[in-house]
Amino acid sequence: MITSPLQTEPIIGLEIHVQLRTETKMFCGCPVRFDAPPNSCVCPVCLGHPGALPVINKRAVALAIRAGLALNCDIASFTKWDRKSYYYPDMPKNYQISQYDLPLCGPGHFDIEVGPDVHRIRIRRAHLEEDAGKSIHEPSGGTLVDLNRAGTPLLEIVTEPDFHSAEQAHMFCVELHRLILHLGVSEAVMKKGQMRFEPNVNVRICSDNVEATTPIAEIKNLNSFKAVRRAISFDVERQIATWREDPQYVKGTAPSENRGYNDDRGITEFQRPKEAAHDYRYFPDPDLRPLNVSDEWLTRIRAELPELPIAREKRLIEQHGLSPSDARTILTDRTTADVFDEVVALGAPAGVAAKQLVNIWSQLANDRATPLAALPVSAERLAALAAFVDSGAVNKTAANRIAEAMLDGDESPAQLAESMGLLQIQDTDATQAWVDEALADNPDALEDLRTHPKKIKAVTGFLRGQIMKRSGGKADPKLVGQLLEKRLAELL
Ligand code: ZN
Ligand code: MN
């Protein structure tokens, strides 16, 4: 057993399967539906009946190219289909149609920001294939097979082993998920298995006089970001511990393996030795013609690419002065980001509009379990509320109530503020009176301030609250601040 201190470097690559957002399957016209009754979306092609012939889904190819372009990949002008043979009860043909040596999307790269550094992750390839069905293991012991999912278009993205920590891999998955959503190529709901991650992990180990590399473990089918991080962290430690016990546990000597992740226990478990490519007996599918991607088609898809999330986030921060966290929240989904751009284009003050989207409208959308963009309120009215609050007519608390009322009718923010009695009172005399009353009612606060001048922030905060209360919430906080500051200067 080796107990000396070690230098270790994890080496991690990722394979990601993304279900493409198409109406129909990859090679037949069956609908792609997540919750249809079992085996109701099937036909001779996806059931693998003899003699049934596959037909390529053009939309799936277009979506795959779109993702490939966003990952800076070369797109092949000539690509073909191959059979990847293996037996599994939920794969009735006994082979999967995939792409072997001529993938649709070739080498590319994707940059992620890790703190202040930009980390370039090389993409080895991204190819099209079909999903398998689902085996449902009954608690009573039997197994049922549902083939609705069989033949669903999948994009498999493969990175080079460019990650050196679980955190980096995790960050990439989060960023890739956001990209996929922005591109609209998949719904990417991980709970539905629409995006699945498979890290390949091994570790380079150096000690005083040994240099070793552990065998690769492929962790299958992770369907959350947290699982990606935890599974990789666990397996890195496991591999180092195994090597300490057994110096023969090195690549080339010990076999590579497939492992499953046990989420309840936070550990990975041995499944089977890892297959090598030759085990699959890949050969060109004789039922499908190779695919030519014309320059003209490629140009058209490229022209339809939206602004990508990382660039868009930068723009929101630099052009509109948003905080990084507000920019990130707005970019969580593309339709919300589109709403923001629209509202700003209509002349709304960007900062206030962003805060209202993040703090008010997202909350209202959440309460109603609907996307923000689907709330029954137009961009014009969103812009109107931002401008109204920015003018100082109402305070932020009032804005919440007005926003809620806006969902139930088409009165303007000004009309609502008026009818709900929320307009701020700009009257200096009235405000001055509230200031003086609050001071007279709280002599202790003033005394406190005389003996502890450092408490200025806490005490004025308290007094502001008292003044706002006296005004019934209608005083303009800005005016209150000015008048209070002036009066305190006179009194102290
Ligand atoms: Zn079918
Ligand atoms: Mn695959």
Side-chain angles (χ1 to χ4, degrees):
M1 162 127 178
I2 291 158
T3 52
S4 56
L6 302 173
Q7 275 192 306
T8 59
E9 183 186 43
I11 308 164
I12 304 155
L14 287 169
E15 286 173 27
I16 303 109
H17 284 92
V18 181
Q19 269 185 13
L20 296 174
R21 193 158 118 186
T22 53
E23 294 289 316
T24 56
K25 293 188 182 179
M26 187 65 232
F27 299 109
C28 63
C30 292
V32 173
R33 271 195 212 120
F34 179 74
D35 39 18
N39 299 306
S40 62
C41 304
V42 291
C43 74
V45 174
C46 52
L47 290 176
H49 288 186
L53 290 174
V55 177
I56 301 169
N57 182 334
K58 190 175 177 187
R59 168 103 182 127
V61 178
L63 292 176
I65 293 175
R66 177 179 256 245
L69 287 172
L71 293 168
N72 304 292
C73 286
D74 298 338
I75 308 297
S77 55
F78 176 87
T79 179
K80 69 176 177 64
W81 309 93
D82 300 281
R83 292 186 176 182
K84 181 181 183 182
S85 305
Y86 58 101
Y87 171 77
Y88 225 75
D90 52 23
M91 200 178 62
K93 293 198 298 289
N94 289 341
Y95 62 83
Q96 175 193 33
I97 304 177
S98 182
Q99 300 194 287
Y100 182 50
D101 53 339
L102 293 175
L104 178 62
C105 310
H109 61 85
F110 189 54
D111 293 339
I112 52 170
E113 283 175 23
V114 184
D117 303 321
V118 173
H119 200 74
R120 174 155 293 187
I121 306 302
R122 290 168 299 156
I123 306 293
R124 183 178 293 170
R125 57 186 281 158
H127 66 257
L128 267 170
E129 57 186 30
E130 54 176 344
D131 210 344
K134 267 186 209 164
S135 294
I136 300 150
H137 305 287
E138 293 280 280
S140 56
T143 294
L144 301 170
V145 174
D146 176 7
L147 294 171
N148 281 351
R149 197 178 72 176
T152 299
L154 279 185
L155 179 67
E156 178 176 332
I157 302 165
V158 184
T159 78
E160 295 292 344
D162 286 349
F163 306 97
H164 299 292
S165 71
E167 286 68 34
Q168 286 174 7
H170 175 267
M171 201 173 285
F172 176 86
C173 293
V174 171
E175 207 50 69
L176 181 68
H177 181 253
R178 186 163 80 146
L179 178 75
I180 292 293
L181 282 181
H182 245 73
L183 293 170
V185 300
S186 171
E187 286 177 48
V189 178
M190 284 178 284
K191 267 189 276 180
K192 294 184 183 175
Q194 290 169 329
M195 192 163 180
R196 307 175 321 239
F197 306 97
E198 300 186 334
N200 278 265
V201 181
N202 66 344
V203 187
R204 197 175 294 132
I205 300 173
C206 296
S207 71
D208 294 342
N209 40 22
V210 208
E211 221 191 295
T213 307
T214 56
I216 294 174
E218 177 167 338
I219 310 167
K220 305 300 286 182
N221 268 329
L222 301 174
N223 54 13
S224 76
F225 300 133
K226 196 171 134 211
V228 169
R229 198 178 54 223
R230 291 179 67 198
I232 294 173
S233 298
F234 175 85
D235 217 65
V236 166
E237 293 311 317
R238 179 193 65 80
Q239 292 186 22
I240 296 168
T242 309
W243 178 81
R244 278 185 189 275
E245 293 284 337
D246 173 14
Q248 293 298 302
Y249 183 70
V250 289
K251 198 173 168 183
T253 305
S256 298
E257 54 189 66
N258 281 349
R259 301 184 68 87
Y261 176 62
N262 181 326
D263 200 15
D264 295 331
R265 299 178 58 198
I267 63 169
T268 65
E269 295 163 324
F270 177 80
Q271 283 179 334
R272 57 179 187 268
K274 194 168 149 70
E275 296 83 356
H278 61 253
D279 293 330
Y280 289 117
R281 300 292 187 270
Y282 279 102
F283 68 94
D285 192 313
D287 290 342
L288 285 160
R289 300 213 342 218
L291 184 75
N292 292 298
V293 176
S294 69
D295 284 349
E296 189 248 318
W297 193 28
L298 198 56
T299 308
R300 206 157 2 113
I301 296 172
R302 196 188 292 276
E304 284 166 2
L305 273 183
E307 184 183 20
L308 302 183
I310 293 177
R312 200 167 184 180
E313 186 174 324
K314 269 217 177 80
R315 179 170 63 78
L316 294 192
I317 294 169
E318 282 162 16
Q319 190 180 325
H320 297 303
L322 266 53
S323 71
S325 98
D326 284 352
R328 244 195 128 70
T329 309
I330 286 173
L331 278 163
T332 319
D333 90 275
R334 180 171 148 200
T335 53
T336 302
D338 290 346
V339 168
F340 173 78
D341 279 338
E342 213 182 329
V343 165
V344 171
L346 287 163
V352 182
K355 285 280 175 227
Q356 291 185 351
L357 286 180
V358 170
N359 298 328
I360 303 179
W361 298 110
S362 324
Q363 190 56 49
L364 291 171
N366 238 349
D367 295 347
R368 286 158 182 75
T370 162
L372 189 151
L375 284 171
V377 52
S378 65
E380 282 78 9
R381 305 186 72 222
L382 296 178
L385 182 64
F388 190 58
V389 170
D390 194 49
S391 74
V394 290
N395 59 38
K396 286 177 200 146
T397 326
N400 273 296
R401 296 181 53 197
I402 296 171
E404 197 161 2
M406 283 170 76
L407 294 175
D408 299 324
D410 10 86
E411 281 175 288
S412 70
Q415 288 165 331
L416 287 167
E418 171 98 64
S419 63
M420 294 165 83
L422 294 171
L423 282 175
Q424 283 186 158
I425 294 170
Q426 301 287 352
D427 181 336
T428 312
D429 292 342
T431 310
Q432 186 67 62
W434 291 320
V435 169
D436 292 334
E437 283 165 33
L439 283 169
D441 272 5
N442 297 282
D444 297 354
L446 215 54
E447 205 39 57
D448 202 17
L449 210 48
R450 283 200 181 97
T451 38
H452 306 98
K454 277 192 176 155
K455 283 189 172 177
I456 182 83
K457 245 192 162 157
V459 174
T460 49
F462 165 77
L463 288 170
R464 277 164 179 276
Q466 294 301 308
I467 299 161
M468 289 305 289
K469 215 180 203 174
R470 295 197 152 263
S471 77
K474 290 185 196 172
D476 174 2
K478 223 158 129 194
L479 184 58
V480 167
Q482 288 164 1
L483 295 177
L484 177 62
E485 196 185 336
K486 204 165 140 236
R487 190 57 102 218
L488 285 177
E490 290 163 10
L491 291 171
L492 292 175

